[in-house]
Amino acid sequence: MIKRHYTPNTLSYEYDVEQYNKLLKRAPTVISENPDSALPSIFNRTREFFATEASVHPNSDLAWHALFLAEQLGTGHFRSVLNDGKELQLRFEDRQLPITGKYSANDTHFDVWSKMFCFGVIARSREAVEVLSQVDESVFMQAAKRPPTKY
């Protein structure tokens, strides 16, 4: 799957797994309350956990779970941005979460979009590619400016 130049020590890895499991428990509630900020935030935490898990246990079920969840969160974020005020069903693991789409200029710049698009392609998600392909240049131009994220 992924090779990294380092792997975390055992305590750090166990802490990351514990935090990821806590995140999964509270994520549905947080996403339903504030999808515009929760989706990109949880996407980033899931993406970072995916990289950690894949470096420690390449090809593990947990790494694949994190990859597919990151794809769902990224797709959901841009679906929400593109459907301001509309009721949507967000795929989250094996269920659907009802959310109301909300436009946000936060986390809509090309740097974020490209990461989300890559996760969609890696996950072979037709929905992700279709949704993310609908994002036009105006969304990127209106995005709130911030420094690029790491990796």
Side-chain angles (χ1 to χ4, degrees):
M1 186 176 276
I2 290 181
K3 300 280 186 198
R4 289 178 73 173
H5 62 280
Y6 79 99
T7 55
N9 66 40
T10 303
L11 288 176
S12 175
Y13 170 72
E14 289 172 356
Y15 177 79
D16 287 348
V17 171
E18 180 183 320
Q19 292 303 306
Y20 181 70
N21 288 327
K22 286 180 182 178
L23 176 71
L24 291 179
K25 287 180 184 165
R26 71 175 193 274
T29 304
V30 174
I31 289 169
S32 295
E33 292 172 357
N34 297 306
D36 58 317
S37 60
L39 287 169
S41 172
I42 298 172
F43 167 79
N44 281 326
R45 292 184 62 194
T46 303
R47 177 178 59 86
E48 289 172 1
F49 178 75
F50 163 71
T52 299
E53 176 63 22
S55 69
V56 174
H57 299 113
N59 233 3
S60 74
D61 289 343
L62 189 55
W64 283 106
H65 176 270
L67 179 132
F68 287 114
L69 183 58
E71 174 270 315
Q72 293 171 350
L73 295 165
T75 303
H77 172 59
F78 276 97
R79 277 185 65 217
S80 176
V81 167
L82 295 172
N83 292 285
D84 190 24
K86 297 178 183 172
E87 294 295 319
L88 305 169
Q89 292 293 317
L90 171 73
R91 284 184 307 122
F92 184 84
E93 295 183 312
D94 58 352
R95 61 189 160 200
Q96 300 284 325
L97 297 178
I99 63 169
T100 301
K102 184 173 181 187
Y103 175 78
S104 171
N106 295 325
D107 296 300
T108 56
H109 43 82
F110 182 77
D111 183 48
V112 172
W113 178 90
S114 64
K115 287 178 179 69
M116 293 177 179
F117 189 83
C118 286
F119 272 82
V121 170
I122 293 168
R124 295 183 179 183
S125 171
R126 173 182 235 151
E127 177 193 3
V129 172
E130 287 175 358
V131 168
L132 295 169
S133 295
Q134 293 173 12
V135 177
D136 64 18
E137 189 177 85
S138 65
V139 173
F140 302 137
M141 299 303 281
Q142 295 171 7
K145 303 297 182 217
R146 69 175 195 172
T149 58
K150 61 182 179 180
Y151 57 90

